[in-house]
Amino acid sequence: MKLQKALEAQKAPNLILSDQILNEEGCVVVAQFLAQNTQFINIELRGCNINGRGFERICRSISPDARTLIAEWNAIGGGVSALCDLLMNPSYQLQLVDLKNNRIQADHCARICQMLKQNTSLQSLNLKWNEIGEKGAQYLLEGLNGNRNLKFLDVSCNKIPEGLATQIRERIEQNRSSDLMAKNSTGIKESQRNVYQPVKTIPKTAATTNMPDRAVKKNDAIRVAQLKEQIDQELRQNRLMNEELTNRMNALRQEILSKEQAVSMAKRHFEEEVTRKSIIEAEYTQVKRQFDELGKASDYRQQEVMNEYVAKNKHVLALENEYMHELSQIRHDNKQQIDQINANWQPRLDGIQSKFNSLMKANDQYNQQLLRMKEFFLKMRLDHDENVKAVEGRLLIEEKAKYNHQIELLKKKEMETQQTLKRAENESQSIQDDMQRLETNLTRDRQLIEEQIQQEREKVHQTHLQISKRSIKQEKLINNNIVLDHHIDNLIRKIDETFFILNIQKDRGMDDIQQRRLLQERQYALHKTNLQLQHQRILELERLMSSQEGNNIKLRAEYEKLCHIVQGKVQNAVIETCRLNLQLG
């Protein structure tokens, strides 16, 4: 709706839609508008958030008579191919195209290169603040080598190497200078045409007719030379003025572009700041309100938590004391078992150690005897002959036979001792395993106790939540009871008013039957209203009791009391109605 109003407000030949958010549907609407209205030759779509597809649709609808297209600060990207197809069509005569900051990349410049080689109408092209790079600059330079009409090309802020940027600027300057020389040559021809024209049309007087042809030709040559010199001087002045004007125009163009950039950036920054400020103010208000609510809830909750902590601290301390008592009891039992095991095995270990020491002493004595016998045998070998040697050998055999049995016994005892030590080590290892298992059980029991404590705390928390919900419901019930009490007071006041009115009517001479009937009707209406209010209150009590599972004794007592009152009132109303009917009948 807003875009349609903006399009309807446009007046030819300028179509200006700057800072309009155009999605693909908006681009379709703009394209249809351009196709139906071909009188717009200057099109400005600055900062409209146009993507590639939307720009292609708009380019297909541009009139062949269009001269300028400004589409800076968009997201055209690959959509520039559609514009290149349009510019390569000889029937289109676009002269100025501004595509600043449109996400044009190096691959897109290949299509621009083909367009520059074929186009003959485009004079100004702005590609500032895109993503052309070195590769894209090479494509542009290749296209400029085949183009003599482009007089202005801005490729700054595109990460182009300085060498390629210099070559592009030099190529543009050559196009400008060639155009200026063509204009100057055209001016010289026109001036020469103007100079020679008066010479041919000089009227002949009587004096000139009598002069010889040579003098006439000499005067004409002098005049032509003077005119040529004057024309050359004027051309030099015009060239200097044109160069100065060109420099000024370039400087003004750069200044205008920089100011436009600064203004657009400042505008966007201002809008962002305003939006951010409004968002921050709304968030601050909301956060402040939430903070106040949380502060109140926190104070109330803190008080409740303190009460809960005081109420449940005894239970937690009791559980911790019980846990510590069980832990100390388990440690004491384990210590007694370890002491008992050590007491049982210590005498055995001591006996085995003493036996081992005695066997080691016997082994040392045997070794000493062997050494003494070896010394004795050596002496006998030196002092006696072969018979002595034979006796020595026989004695050795006898000694060996004598002590072999003792050696075997010692070896057996040593093996038994080693086996006993191994058994003792195994038993000590089993004791250590039992200790580790007991410690593991203690750790597991401690974790179970901690989990139970945590579960108790969660139960307490849930109980507290239920109590808070019940308190809220009780407050609502109290408020409803207050309202019902107010209604009952109103009923009592109406009864008093009714009796007052009956007394007044009785004073005025109303019949007893009419008074009784009026009284019966008023009493019946008041009883009915009273019973409805009390029935509503009974229903609320039933709903509250069902929500609390009937655990509240006060609510049950109030419910039974109200039921009894309602039953009695109903019975009294029936009896009174019967009595009045009998009296009236």
Side-chain angles (χ1 to χ4, degrees):
M1 184 65 69
K2 184 178 179 181
L3 178 60
Q4 195 66 33
K5 290 181 179 179
L7 290 173
E8 291 174 358
Q10 300 297 322
K11 295 182 180 180
N14 298 324
L15 176 63
I16 300 174
L17 293 175
S18 298
D19 298 327
Q20 295 283 341
I21 304 301
L22 300 179
N23 51 16
E24 291 188 5
E25 296 178 358
C27 293
V28 170
V29 173
V30 174
Q32 292 175 356
F33 181 81
L34 288 174
Q36 296 173 0
N37 301 275
T38 59
Q39 66 273 21
F40 293 97
I41 61 175
N42 299 319
I43 302 170
E44 183 175 346
L45 302 172
R46 182 185 289 111
C48 293
N49 196 21
I50 301 173
N51 57 14
R53 293 182 181 179
F55 189 69
E56 290 176 0
R57 292 190 177 94
I58 293 172
C59 288
R60 296 192 191 101
S61 303
I62 294 176
S63 173
D65 298 330
R67 291 295 180 267
T68 62
L69 176 60
I70 299 175
E72 62 181 17
W73 295 96
N74 288 296
I76 294 170
V80 72
S81 299
L83 179 62
C84 293
D85 294 336
L86 186 143
L87 291 172
M88 285 190 290
N89 190 346
S91 60
Y92 286 84
Q93 299 297 319
L94 276 172
Q95 296 179 358
L96 187 147
V97 175
D98 190 351
L99 300 176
K100 179 169 60 179
N101 192 7
N102 267 287
R103 301 179 184 176
I104 298 173
Q105 299 179 357
D107 297 332
H108 305 150
C109 293
R111 192 66 176 164
I112 298 174
C113 174
Q114 296 177 3
M115 180 271 295
L116 291 175
K117 290 179 180 179
Q118 299 182 19
N119 181 269
T120 58
S121 63
L122 187 62
Q123 296 182 4
S124 177
L125 178 61
N126 192 348
L127 297 175
K128 189 176 181 180
W129 289 338
N130 284 291
E131 301 171 4
I132 294 174
E134 182 177 0
K135 185 178 178 181
Q138 292 176 356
Y139 282 127
L140 293 177
L141 186 60
E142 181 182 353
L144 288 173
N145 291 329
N147 188 292
R148 296 292 181 272
N149 300 308
L150 192 63
K151 305 301 185 298
F152 177 80
L153 176 61
D154 191 356
V155 292
S156 58
C157 302
N158 275 287
K159 297 181 181 179
I160 298 175
E162 186 63 29
L164 288 174
T166 303
Q167 294 179 14
I168 291 172
R169 286 195 294 270
E170 289 176 356
R171 192 69 192 85
I172 295 298
E173 290 296 332
Q174 290 177 6
N175 290 348
R176 291 176 185 172
S177 61
S178 63
D179 183 67
L180 184 61
M181 290 176 64
K183 289 182 180 179
N184 290 335
S185 63
T186 304
I188 291 171
K189 289 179 181 179
E190 290 178 355
S191 62
Q192 288 178 355
R193 192 179 299 113
N194 293 329
V195 168
Y196 287 112
Q197 187 68 23
V199 173
K200 292 180 181 179
T201 58
I202 294 174
K204 292 183 179 181
T205 59
T208 56
T209 54
N210 296 325
M211 291 177 63
D213 294 336
R214 184 179 297 175
V216 173
K217 291 180 179 179
K218 185 176 180 181
N219 292 330
D220 291 340
I222 292 169
R223 190 175 178 181
V224 168
Q226 292 176 356
L227 290 172
K228 282 184 177 181
E229 185 177 358
Q230 184 178 359
I231 290 167
D232 291 336
Q233 186 176 1
E234 290 178 356
L235 287 174
R236 284 194 296 272
Q237 291 178 358
N238 290 330
R239 190 180 295 112
L240 293 174
M241 290 175 67
N242 286 330
E243 290 178 356
E244 186 177 358
L245 289 173
T246 302
N247 293 329
R248 288 182 180 179
M249 287 293 292
N250 291 331
L252 289 172
R253 189 180 290 111
Q254 292 293 335
E255 186 177 358
I256 290 168
L257 291 174
S258 63
K259 288 183 178 180
E260 287 179 353
Q261 176 188 354
V263 169
S264 61
M265 292 295 289
K267 185 178 179 181
R268 290 190 177 186
H269 183 68
F270 177 74
E271 292 176 354
E272 290 176 357
E273 290 295 329
V274 171
T275 305
R276 190 181 295 111
K277 183 179 178 181
S278 62
I279 293 170
I280 290 171
E281 288 178 353
E283 290 179 353
Y284 173 74
T285 305
Q286 185 177 3
V287 168
K288 186 177 180 181
R289 185 173 62 254
Q290 292 178 357
F291 180 76
D292 295 337
E293 294 176 355
L294 289 174
K296 295 178 181 179
S298 176
D299 295 337
Y300 181 72
R301 180 59 182 165
Q302 186 177 5
Q303 186 64 32
E304 290 182 350
V305 168
M306 289 299 294
N307 296 330
E308 181 184 355
Y309 176 76
V310 171
K312 298 298 178 180
N313 192 21
K314 294 181 180 180
H315 182 67
V316 175
L317 290 175
L319 291 174
E320 290 180 353
N321 292 328
E322 185 179 355
Y323 165 72
M324 293 301 294
H325 179 69
E326 291 178 357
L327 183 62
S328 61
Q329 186 66 29
I330 292 168
R331 286 180 177 175
H332 181 68
D333 295 339
N334 291 332
K335 186 176 180 181
Q336 287 181 354
Q337 290 178 2
I338 292 168
D339 294 338
Q340 186 177 0
I341 291 168
N342 290 329
N344 292 330
W345 282 97
Q346 190 65 35
R348 297 182 183 180
L349 291 173
D350 294 338
I352 292 166
Q353 188 68 32
S354 62
K355 289 179 181 180
F356 180 74
N357 293 330
S358 62
L359 290 172
M360 290 299 293
K361 288 180 181 180
N363 193 12
D364 294 336
Q365 292 177 1
Y366 173 71
N367 290 329
Q368 291 176 4
Q369 289 178 2
L370 285 177
L371 290 173
R372 286 195 298 270
M373 288 178 69
K374 284 180 182 180
E375 291 177 356
F376 177 73
F377 290 145
L378 287 173
K379 289 180 181 179
M380 292 290 290
R381 186 182 298 168
L382 294 173
D383 296 337
H384 298 84
D385 52 3
E386 292 179 358
N387 293 327
V388 174
K389 289 180 180 179
V391 173
E392 183 180 1
R394 190 169 58 252
L395 289 172
L396 284 171
I397 291 169
E398 290 176 357
E399 289 293 331
K400 285 182 180 181
K402 183 179 179 180
Y403 287 101
N404 278 334
H405 182 66
Q406 295 181 359
I407 291 169
E408 289 177 0
L409 291 174
L410 290 172
K411 287 181 179 180
K412 288 181 181 180
K413 290 181 179 180
E414 186 177 359
M415 291 175 66
E416 290 177 357
T417 305
Q418 290 178 357
Q419 291 177 0
T420 305
L421 288 173
K422 287 183 180 178
R423 286 197 298 273
E425 289 177 356
N426 292 329
E427 290 177 356
S428 64
Q429 184 65 34
S430 64
I431 291 168
Q432 291 179 359
D433 293 337
D434 293 336
M435 290 291 294
Q436 290 179 357
R437 187 166 58 256
L438 289 171
E439 289 179 356
T440 305
N441 292 330
L442 287 173
T443 305
R444 186 173 63 254
D445 294 337
R446 182 178 180 179
Q447 291 178 355
L448 290 173
I449 291 169
E450 290 178 353
E451 290 177 358
Q452 291 177 359
I453 292 170
Q454 186 65 27
Q455 290 176 0
E456 290 294 331
R457 289 178 179 174
E458 290 179 357
K459 289 180 181 179
V460 170
H461 180 66
Q462 294 294 331
T463 305
H464 175 69
L465 291 176
Q466 292 178 0
I467 290 169
S468 62
K469 290 180 181 178
R470 290 178 182 177
S471 62
I472 292 169
K473 290 181 179 179
Q474 288 178 358
E475 289 178 359
K476 290 182 179 179
L477 181 60
I478 290 167
N479 294 328
N480 293 329
N481 291 334
I482 291 170
V483 174
L484 292 173
D485 292 336
H486 182 67
H487 286 303
I488 291 168
D489 294 335
N490 291 331
L491 287 173
I492 293 169
R493 188 171 62 253
K494 288 181 180 179
I495 290 169
D496 295 335
E497 291 176 357
T498 303
F499 278 109
F500 180 72
I501 292 169
L502 287 173
N503 292 324
I504 293 172
Q505 290 178 355
K506 186 176 180 180
D507 294 335
R508 290 179 181 177
M510 185 179 292
D511 296 337
D512 293 336
I513 295 172
Q514 292 178 354
Q515 291 177 2
R516 288 177 182 177
R517 286 179 180 177
L518 182 61
L519 179 62
Q520 182 183 6
E521 291 175 357
R522 290 293 181 94
Q523 285 180 352
Y524 178 74
L526 292 173
H527 279 296
K528 186 177 179 180
T529 306
N530 190 7
L531 288 173
Q532 288 178 355
L533 291 173
Q534 290 183 355
H535 182 66
Q536 183 179 0
R537 187 171 181 180
I538 288 170
L539 291 176
E540 291 180 357
L541 286 172
E542 288 179 351
R543 185 167 58 253
L544 185 60
M545 288 174 64
S546 64
S547 64
Q548 295 186 359
E549 298 179 356
N551 293 327
N552 198 326
I553 299 172
K554 292 182 179 180
L555 292 177
R556 185 176 291 277
E558 187 177 357
Y559 172 73
E560 293 176 355
K561 183 179 178 181
L562 281 175
C563 290
H564 183 70
I565 291 170
V566 170
Q567 187 177 3
K569 287 186 178 181
V570 170
Q571 292 176 357
N572 293 329
V574 171
I575 293 168
E576 185 68 22
T577 304
C578 294
R579 187 177 60 80
L580 290 173
N581 289 330
L582 290 172
Q583 290 178 1
L584 293 174

